[in-house]
Amino acid sequence: MRDLGLIKFRFLALLVLILWCVLAVNGQSSDQTVEPGELIRVDTKLVELKVSVLGAAKNAAAPVLKPTDFAILEDGKTQTVQFFAAADAPFDLVLLLDVSGSSAVKLKLIRRAAERFIKAARPEDRIAVLTFSGDLSLIAPLNIDRDRLKESLKNIDEGVQGTVFWDSLRYTLTHLPGEQTTGRRSAVVVMTDGVDNALPGERGEGSVTTFPQLIEFIRESPAIVVPIYLDTEEEMLKKSKYQMSAASFATARGQLQLIAAEGGTTLYRARRLEDLNGVFEQVIHDLGTVYSIGYESDRDPDGNWRK
């Protein structure tokens, strides 16, 4: 389950009630009245959390949960659940694909995996497809037209020299439309070997964004990031022209594990298309079930964040 401490929540404050009735005191009429249009402001400290629960094991969907399966702590203090609901929710799903030199050897796998991802999504889910190498390219904007999306996959090709993975993921998270304007939650499924040219020892220009900065962006983003490790190490170490090291791949795998941990997701691995059997279906199922949990904060609203 995604760490609740990383989930931003909204305060429902300043609930305005308009009263048009005559007040009665002690069961008798009174001269005190509320003038039409008079406003009575009532402060509320109600907090709503929207939570996605992901299956930890491959091909194992998360079970349907009850209120008693959750515990809410605000700055370490246990809170009482005031309301609870589970519902299917439409998603904006972004497929971010690594087509840099190290991943280009698996372009066929990347295209077929993207097609499988589109097929697994529900009709109401909007999908976008982006690729990155030394720059970021939009293959298909967010839409629900499955035929259009599949046709756009023909435009996936090997990218320009270099890999700016961290910049590409940060840009994608920054420019995703927000739930407040769309009513949809969002997720980024990124398929990559994780090797950014900014890693020590790698040649060429890498991301301007540092990896710690990327982790902070993931923590602050309402979007869920689901990484898929595209295993290209064996092929790349055999090709001397890329001059990549086993140390870079080891570092990249560790960083992808951290990305998965920050989002409460699982790091999936893919060397062959068969490795992805059931993965996209599980991810779509888990992301599509959203739990709404509400509690009344006992802390004065001071405008500051709390965990």
Side-chain angles (χ1 to χ4, degrees), residues 228-256:
I228 298 175
Y229 174 60
L230 188 60
D231 189 353
T232 64
E233 182 174 1
E234 183 178 343
E235 291 91 337
M236 288 302 100
L237 294 182
K238 288 179 180 178
K239 295 187 177 183
S240 59
K241 71 173 183 177
Y242 291 108
Q243 298 184 349
M244 300 180 72
S245 68
S248 291
F249 281 100
T251 299
R253 284 194 299 273
Q255 291 176 341
L256 288 173

PDB file of all heavy atoms in Angstrom, residues 228-256:
ATOM      1  N   ILE A 228       9.135  -0.359 -14.738  1.00  0.00           N
ATOM      2  CA  ILE A 228       9.404  -1.687 -15.306  1.00  0.00           C
ATOM      3  C   ILE A 228      10.852  -1.689 -15.772  1.00  0.00           C
ATOM      4  O   ILE A 228      11.234  -0.894 -16.644  1.00  0.00           O
ATOM      5  CB  ILE A 228       8.462  -2.017 -16.470  1.00  0.00           C
ATOM      6  CG1 ILE A 228       7.008  -2.058 -15.988  1.00  0.00           C
ATOM      7  CG2 ILE A 228       8.837  -3.352 -17.112  1.00  0.00           C
ATOM      8  CD1 ILE A 228       6.005  -2.263 -17.103  1.00  0.00           C
ATOM      9  N   TYR A 229      11.665  -2.543 -15.189  1.00  0.00           N
ATOM     10  CA  TYR A 229      13.086  -2.610 -15.538  1.00  0.00           C
ATOM     11  C   TYR A 229      13.243  -3.379 -16.848  1.00  0.00           C
ATOM     12  O   TYR A 229      12.955  -4.572 -16.925  1.00  0.00           O
ATOM     13  CB  TYR A 229      13.886  -3.277 -14.428  1.00  0.00           C
ATOM     14  CG  TYR A 229      15.335  -3.497 -14.783  1.00  0.00           C
ATOM     15  CD1 TYR A 229      16.162  -2.418 -15.095  1.00  0.00           C
ATOM     16  CD2 TYR A 229      15.879  -4.777 -14.819  1.00  0.00           C
ATOM     17  CE1 TYR A 229      17.490  -2.611 -15.424  1.00  0.00           C
ATOM     18  CE2 TYR A 229      17.211  -4.974 -15.138  1.00  0.00           C
ATOM     19  CZ  TYR A 229      18.014  -3.894 -15.448  1.00  0.00           C
ATOM     20  OH  TYR A 229      19.331  -4.090 -15.786  1.00  0.00           O
ATOM     21  N   LEU A 230      13.693  -2.677 -17.872  1.00  0.00           N
ATOM     22  CA  LEU A 230      13.944  -3.283 -19.175  1.00  0.00           C
ATOM     23  C   LEU A 230      15.381  -3.786 -19.180  1.00  0.00           C
ATOM     24  O   LEU A 230      16.333  -2.996 -19.252  1.00  0.00           O
ATOM     25  CB  LEU A 230      13.715  -2.252 -20.283  1.00  0.00           C
ATOM     26  CG  LEU A 230      13.748  -2.753 -21.721  1.00  0.00           C
ATOM     27  CD1 LEU A 230      12.665  -3.810 -21.959  1.00  0.00           C
ATOM     28  CD2 LEU A 230      13.566  -1.586 -22.683  1.00  0.00           C
ATOM     29  N   ASP A 231      15.569  -5.074 -19.092  1.00  0.00           N
ATOM     30  CA  ASP A 231      16.892  -5.668 -18.919  1.00  0.00           C
ATOM     31  C   ASP A 231      17.646  -5.705 -20.251  1.00  0.00           C
ATOM     32  O   ASP A 231      17.395  -6.548 -21.108  1.00  0.00           O
ATOM     33  CB  ASP A 231      16.750  -7.080 -18.354  1.00  0.00           C
ATOM     34  CG  ASP A 231      18.086  -7.682 -17.951  1.00  0.00           C
ATOM     35  OD1 ASP A 231      19.134  -7.058 -18.223  1.00  0.00           O
ATOM     36  OD2 ASP A 231      18.084  -8.776 -17.369  1.00  0.00           O
ATOM     37  N   THR A 232      18.573  -4.762 -20.409  1.00  0.00           N
ATOM     38  CA  THR A 232      19.390  -4.694 -21.631  1.00  0.00           C
ATOM     39  C   THR A 232      20.877  -4.896 -21.322  1.00  0.00           C
ATOM     40  O   THR A 232      21.720  -4.737 -22.208  1.00  0.00           O
ATOM     41  CB  THR A 232      19.222  -3.326 -22.306  1.00  0.00           C
ATOM     42  OG1 THR A 232      19.740  -2.295 -21.437  1.00  0.00           O
ATOM     43  CG2 THR A 232      17.763  -3.028 -22.610  1.00  0.00           C
ATOM     44  N   GLU A 233      21.188  -5.249 -20.085  1.00  0.00           N
ATOM     45  CA  GLU A 233      22.587  -5.252 -19.647  1.00  0.00           C
ATOM     46  C   GLU A 233      23.449  -6.198 -20.467  1.00  0.00           C
ATOM     47  O   GLU A 233      24.547  -5.815 -20.926  1.00  0.00           O
ATOM     48  CB  GLU A 233      22.669  -5.639 -18.167  1.00  0.00           C
ATOM     49  CG  GLU A 233      24.081  -5.623 -17.631  1.00  0.00           C
ATOM     50  CD  GLU A 233      24.128  -5.869 -16.128  1.00  0.00           C
ATOM     51  OE1 GLU A 233      23.055  -6.061 -15.530  1.00  0.00           O
ATOM     52  OE2 GLU A 233      25.240  -5.846 -15.588  1.00  0.00           O
ATOM     53  N   GLU A 234      23.002  -7.402 -20.682  1.00  0.00           N
ATOM     54  CA  GLU A 234      23.826  -8.382 -21.397  1.00  0.00           C
ATOM     55  C   GLU A 234      24.182  -7.893 -22.797  1.00  0.00           C
ATOM     56  O   GLU A 234      25.339  -7.960 -23.220  1.00  0.00           O
ATOM     57  CB  GLU A 234      23.084  -9.722 -21.487  1.00  0.00           C
ATOM     58  CG  GLU A 234      23.896 -10.818 -22.158  1.00  0.00           C
ATOM     59  CD  GLU A 234      23.165 -12.143 -22.187  1.00  0.00           C
ATOM     60  OE1 GLU A 234      22.186 -12.305 -21.419  1.00  0.00           O
ATOM     61  OE2 GLU A 234      23.560 -13.014 -22.991  1.00  0.00           O
ATOM     62  N   GLU A 235      23.184  -7.388 -23.525  1.00  0.00           N
ATOM     63  CA  GLU A 235      23.438  -6.910 -24.889  1.00  0.00           C
ATOM     64  C   GLU A 235      24.383  -5.714 -24.901  1.00  0.00           C
ATOM     65  O   GLU A 235      25.281  -5.603 -25.735  1.00  0.00           O
ATOM     66  CB  GLU A 235      22.125  -6.529 -25.571  1.00  0.00           C
ATOM     67  CG  GLU A 235      21.210  -7.713 -25.881  1.00  0.00           C
ATOM     68  CD  GLU A 235      20.246  -7.997 -24.736  1.00  0.00           C
ATOM     69  OE1 GLU A 235      20.563  -7.593 -23.591  1.00  0.00           O
ATOM     70  OE2 GLU A 235      19.198  -8.620 -24.983  1.00  0.00           O
ATOM     71  N   MET A 236      24.185  -4.779 -23.951  1.00  0.00           N
ATOM     72  CA  MET A 236      24.970  -3.551 -23.959  1.00  0.00           C
ATOM     73  C   MET A 236      26.430  -3.787 -23.567  1.00  0.00           C
ATOM     74  O   MET A 236      27.330  -3.152 -24.104  1.00  0.00           O
ATOM     75  CB  MET A 236      24.340  -2.527 -23.018  1.00  0.00           C
ATOM     76  CG  MET A 236      23.037  -1.926 -23.536  1.00  0.00           C
ATOM     77  SD  MET A 236      23.247  -1.100 -25.145  1.00  0.00           S
ATOM     78  CE  MET A 236      22.622  -2.378 -26.259  1.00  0.00           C
ATOM     79  N   LEU A 237      26.662  -4.681 -22.643  1.00  0.00           N
ATOM     80  CA  LEU A 237      28.044  -4.941 -22.231  1.00  0.00           C
ATOM     81  C   LEU A 237      28.832  -5.649 -23.326  1.00  0.00           C
ATOM     82  O   LEU A 237      30.065  -5.573 -23.359  1.00  0.00           O
ATOM     83  CB  LEU A 237      28.061  -5.775 -20.950  1.00  0.00           C
ATOM     84  CG  LEU A 237      27.505  -5.078 -19.705  1.00  0.00           C
ATOM     85  CD1 LEU A 237      27.624  -5.980 -18.481  1.00  0.00           C
ATOM     86  CD2 LEU A 237      28.206  -3.754 -19.442  1.00  0.00           C
ATOM     87  N   LYS A 238      28.137  -6.303 -24.244  1.00  0.00           N
ATOM     88  CA  LYS A 238      28.807  -6.965 -25.363  1.00  0.00           C
ATOM     89  C   LYS A 238      29.165  -5.988 -26.476  1.00  0.00           C
ATOM     90  O   LYS A 238      30.032  -6.263 -27.300  1.00  0.00           O
ATOM     91  CB  LYS A 238      27.903  -8.066 -25.934  1.00  0.00           C
ATOM     92  CG  LYS A 238      27.753  -9.287 -25.045  1.00  0.00           C
ATOM     93  CD  LYS A 238      26.835 -10.298 -25.690  1.00  0.00           C
ATOM     94  CE  LYS A 238      26.670 -11.536 -24.810  1.00  0.00           C
ATOM     95  NZ  LYS A 238      25.733 -12.517 -25.427  1.00  0.00           N
ATOM     96  N   LYS A 239      28.479  -4.833 -26.500  1.00  0.00           N
ATOM     97  CA  LYS A 239      28.691  -3.867 -27.579  1.00  0.00           C
ATOM     98  C   LYS A 239      29.630  -2.771 -27.085  1.00  0.00           C
ATOM     99  O   LYS A 239      29.227  -1.871 -26.346  1.00  0.00           O
ATOM    100  CB  LYS A 239      27.352  -3.275 -28.033  1.00  0.00           C
ATOM    101  CG  LYS A 239      26.443  -4.316 -28.672  1.00  0.00           C
ATOM    102  CD  LYS A 239      25.199  -3.685 -29.256  1.00  0.00           C
ATOM    103  CE  LYS A 239      24.327  -4.730 -29.961  1.00  0.00           C
ATOM    104  NZ  LYS A 239      23.141  -4.130 -30.597  1.00  0.00           N
ATOM    105  N   SER A 240      30.849  -2.846 -27.529  1.00  0.00           N
ATOM    106  CA  SER A 240      31.872  -1.935 -27.020  1.00  0.00           C
ATOM    107  C   SER A 240      31.614  -0.481 -27.403  1.00  0.00           C
ATOM    108  O   SER A 240      32.064   0.430 -26.718  1.00  0.00           O
ATOM    109  CB  SER A 240      33.251  -2.351 -27.554  1.00  0.00           C
ATOM    110  OG  SER A 240      33.259  -2.341 -28.983  1.00  0.00           O
ATOM    111  N   LYS A 241      30.841  -0.243 -28.480  1.00  0.00           N
ATOM    112  CA  LYS A 241      30.642   1.139 -28.910  1.00  0.00           C
ATOM    113  C   LYS A 241      29.869   1.958 -27.881  1.00  0.00           C
ATOM    114  O   LYS A 241      29.964   3.183 -27.840  1.00  0.00           O
ATOM    115  CB  LYS A 241      29.929   1.183 -30.261  1.00  0.00           C
ATOM    116  CG  LYS A 241      28.472   0.768 -30.227  1.00  0.00           C
ATOM    117  CD  LYS A 241      27.813   1.005 -31.587  1.00  0.00           C
ATOM    118  CE  LYS A 241      26.330   0.672 -31.553  1.00  0.00           C
ATOM    119  NZ  LYS A 241      25.666   0.977 -32.852  1.00  0.00           N
ATOM    120  N   TYR A 242      29.074   1.285 -27.022  1.00  0.00           N
ATOM    121  CA  TYR A 242      28.311   2.017 -26.008  1.00  0.00           C
ATOM    122  C   TYR A 242      29.148   2.287 -24.757  1.00  0.00           C
ATOM    123  O   TYR A 242      28.843   3.183 -23.985  1.00  0.00           O
ATOM    124  CB  TYR A 242      27.044   1.252 -25.641  1.00  0.00           C
ATOM    125  CG  TYR A 242      26.032   1.226 -26.749  1.00  0.00           C
ATOM    126  CD1 TYR A 242      25.785   0.061 -27.457  1.00  0.00           C
ATOM    127  CD2 TYR A 242      25.317   2.373 -27.093  1.00  0.00           C
ATOM    128  CE1 TYR A 242      24.846   0.044 -28.481  1.00  0.00           C
ATOM    129  CE2 TYR A 242      24.383   2.362 -28.119  1.00  0.00           C
ATOM    130  CZ  TYR A 242      24.155   1.180 -28.806  1.00  0.00           C
ATOM    131  OH  TYR A 242      23.236   1.150 -29.822  1.00  0.00           O
ATOM    132  N   GLN A 243      30.192   1.490 -24.538  1.00  0.00           N
ATOM    133  CA  GLN A 243      31.104   1.688 -23.409  1.00  0.00           C
ATOM    134  C   GLN A 243      30.342   1.876 -22.098  1.00  0.00           C
ATOM    135  O   GLN A 243      30.603   2.795 -21.312  1.00  0.00           O
ATOM    136  CB  GLN A 243      32.040   2.878 -23.673  1.00  0.00           C
ATOM    137  CG  GLN A 243      32.939   2.679 -24.874  1.00  0.00           C
ATOM    138  CD  GLN A 243      33.915   3.824 -25.070  1.00  0.00           C
ATOM    139  OE1 GLN A 243      33.803   4.863 -24.444  1.00  0.00           O
ATOM    140  NE2 GLN A 243      34.890   3.623 -25.954  1.00  0.00           N
ATOM    141  N   MET A 244      29.402   0.988 -21.874  1.00  0.00           N
ATOM    142  CA  MET A 244      28.628   1.039 -20.624  1.00  0.00           C
ATOM    143  C   MET A 244      29.207   0.030 -19.644  1.00  0.00           C
ATOM    144  O   MET A 244      29.794  -0.981 -20.035  1.00  0.00           O
ATOM    145  CB  MET A 244      27.155   0.749 -20.904  1.00  0.00           C
ATOM    146  CG  MET A 244      26.519   1.736 -21.866  1.00  0.00           C
ATOM    147  SD  MET A 244      24.787   1.391 -22.203  1.00  0.00           S
ATOM    148  CE  MET A 244      24.051   1.877 -20.642  1.00  0.00           C
ATOM    149  N   SER A 245      29.041   0.303 -18.369  1.00  0.00           N
ATOM    150  CA  SER A 245      29.631  -0.551 -17.339  1.00  0.00           C
ATOM    151  C   SER A 245      28.562  -1.288 -16.551  1.00  0.00           C
ATOM    152  O   SER A 245      27.415  -0.827 -16.438  1.00  0.00           O
ATOM    153  CB  SER A 245      30.481   0.290 -16.385  1.00  0.00           C
ATOM    154  OG  SER A 245      29.658   1.153 -15.622  1.00  0.00           O
ATOM    155  N   ALA A 246      28.974  -2.430 -15.998  1.00  0.00           N
ATOM    156  CA  ALA A 246      28.060  -3.192 -15.143  1.00  0.00           C
ATOM    157  C   ALA A 246      27.685  -2.374 -13.908  1.00  0.00           C
ATOM    158  O   ALA A 246      26.574  -2.502 -13.377  1.00  0.00           O
ATOM    159  CB  ALA A 246      28.716  -4.509 -14.738  1.00  0.00           C
ATOM    160  N   ALA A 247      28.601  -1.501 -13.470  1.00  0.00           N
ATOM    161  CA  ALA A 247      28.323  -0.671 -12.294  1.00  0.00           C
ATOM    162  C   ALA A 247      27.159   0.283 -12.556  1.00  0.00           C
ATOM    163  O   ALA A 247      26.329   0.524 -11.674  1.00  0.00           O
ATOM    164  CB  ALA A 247      29.576   0.116 -11.903  1.00  0.00           C
ATOM    165  N   SER A 248      27.088   0.828 -13.785  1.00  0.00           N
ATOM    166  CA  SER A 248      25.985   1.737 -14.125  1.00  0.00           C
ATOM    167  C   SER A 248      24.650   1.008 -14.077  1.00  0.00           C
ATOM    168  O   SER A 248      23.655   1.539 -13.572  1.00  0.00           O
ATOM    169  CB  SER A 248      26.204   2.341 -15.510  1.00  0.00           C
ATOM    170  OG  SER A 248      27.297   3.235 -15.505  1.00  0.00           O
ATOM    171  N   PHE A 249      24.609  -0.209 -14.599  1.00  0.00           N
ATOM    172  CA  PHE A 249      23.370  -0.979 -14.578  1.00  0.00           C
ATOM    173  C   PHE A 249      22.975  -1.323 -13.143  1.00  0.00           C
ATOM    174  O   PHE A 249      21.789  -1.278 -12.793  1.00  0.00           O
ATOM    175  CB  PHE A 249      23.508  -2.250 -15.416  1.00  0.00           C
ATOM    176  CG  PHE A 249      23.380  -2.023 -16.894  1.00  0.00           C
ATOM    177  CD1 PHE A 249      24.513  -1.947 -17.688  1.00  0.00           C
ATOM    178  CD2 PHE A 249      22.142  -1.844 -17.483  1.00  0.00           C
ATOM    179  CE1 PHE A 249      24.408  -1.729 -19.049  1.00  0.00           C
ATOM    180  CE2 PHE A 249      22.019  -1.622 -18.845  1.00  0.00           C
ATOM    181  CZ  PHE A 249      23.162  -1.563 -19.633  1.00  0.00           C
ATOM    182  N   ALA A 250      23.954  -1.670 -12.303  1.00  0.00           N
ATOM    183  CA  ALA A 250      23.651  -1.995 -10.909  1.00  0.00           C
ATOM    184  C   ALA A 250      23.093  -0.772 -10.187  1.00  0.00           C
ATOM    185  O   ALA A 250      22.115  -0.877  -9.428  1.00  0.00           O
ATOM    186  CB  ALA A 250      24.907  -2.509 -10.214  1.00  0.00           C
ATOM    187  N   THR A 251      23.708   0.388 -10.425  1.00  0.00           N
ATOM    188  CA  THR A 251      23.205   1.618  -9.808  1.00  0.00           C
ATOM    189  C   THR A 251      21.790   1.931 -10.287  1.00  0.00           C
ATOM    190  O   THR A 251      20.925   2.306  -9.496  1.00  0.00           O
ATOM    191  CB  THR A 251      24.129   2.799 -10.144  1.00  0.00           C
ATOM    192  OG1 THR A 251      25.438   2.532  -9.637  1.00  0.00           O
ATOM    193  CG2 THR A 251      23.610   4.094  -9.525  1.00  0.00           C
ATOM    194  N   ALA A 252      21.571   1.774 -11.605  1.00  0.00           N
ATOM    195  CA  ALA A 252      20.257   2.076 -12.176  1.00  0.00           C
ATOM    196  C   ALA A 252      19.176   1.167 -11.598  1.00  0.00           C
ATOM    197  O   ALA A 252      18.067   1.625 -11.289  1.00  0.00           O
ATOM    198  CB  ALA A 252      20.308   1.929 -13.693  1.00  0.00           C
ATOM    199  N   ARG A 253      19.472  -0.109 -11.424  1.00  0.00           N
ATOM    200  CA  ARG A 253      18.489  -1.022 -10.841  1.00  0.00           C
ATOM    201  C   ARG A 253      18.146  -0.612  -9.407  1.00  0.00           C
ATOM    202  O   ARG A 253      16.986  -0.647  -9.000  1.00  0.00           O
ATOM    203  CB  ARG A 253      19.011  -2.468 -10.866  1.00  0.00           C
ATOM    204  CG  ARG A 253      18.943  -3.127 -12.221  1.00  0.00           C
ATOM    205  CD  ARG A 253      19.142  -4.638 -12.103  1.00  0.00           C
ATOM    206  NE  ARG A 253      20.460  -4.959 -11.541  1.00  0.00           N
ATOM    207  CZ  ARG A 253      21.569  -5.093 -12.251  1.00  0.00           C
ATOM    208  NH1 ARG A 253      21.539  -4.906 -13.564  1.00  0.00           N
ATOM    209  NH2 ARG A 253      22.716  -5.419 -11.674  1.00  0.00           N
ATOM    210  N   GLY A 254      19.177  -0.226  -8.665  1.00  0.00           N
ATOM    211  CA  GLY A 254      18.927   0.226  -7.299  1.00  0.00           C
ATOM    212  C   GLY A 254      18.061   1.469  -7.265  1.00  0.00           C
ATOM    213  O   GLY A 254      17.177   1.609  -6.405  1.00  0.00           O
ATOM    214  N   GLN A 255      18.275   2.386  -8.203  1.00  0.00           N
ATOM    215  CA  GLN A 255      17.478   3.606  -8.256  1.00  0.00           C
ATOM    216  C   GLN A 255      16.033   3.303  -8.645  1.00  0.00           C
ATOM    217  O   GLN A 255      15.093   3.918  -8.108  1.00  0.00           O
ATOM    218  CB  GLN A 255      18.107   4.594  -9.226  1.00  0.00           C
ATOM    219  CG  GLN A 255      19.423   5.170  -8.731  1.00  0.00           C
ATOM    220  CD  GLN A 255      20.098   6.084  -9.721  1.00  0.00           C
ATOM    221  OE1 GLN A 255      19.800   6.051 -10.922  1.00  0.00           O
ATOM    222  NE2 GLN A 255      21.013   6.915  -9.246  1.00  0.00           N
ATOM    223  N   LEU A 256      15.831   2.367  -9.558  1.00  0.00           N
ATOM    224  CA  LEU A 256      14.467   1.995  -9.929  1.00  0.00           C
ATOM    225  C   LEU A 256      13.748   1.344  -8.748  1.00  0.00           C
ATOM    226  O   LEU A 256      12.537   1.527  -8.565  1.00  0.00           O
ATOM    227  CB  LEU A 256      14.484   1.049 -11.132  1.00  0.00           C
ATOM    228  CG  LEU A 256      14.869   1.686 -12.471  1.00  0.00           C
ATOM    229  CD1 LEU A 256      15.020   0.611 -13.551  1.00  0.00           C
ATOM    230  CD2 LEU A 256      13.843   2.724 -12.906  1.00  0.00           C
TER     231      LEU A 256
END
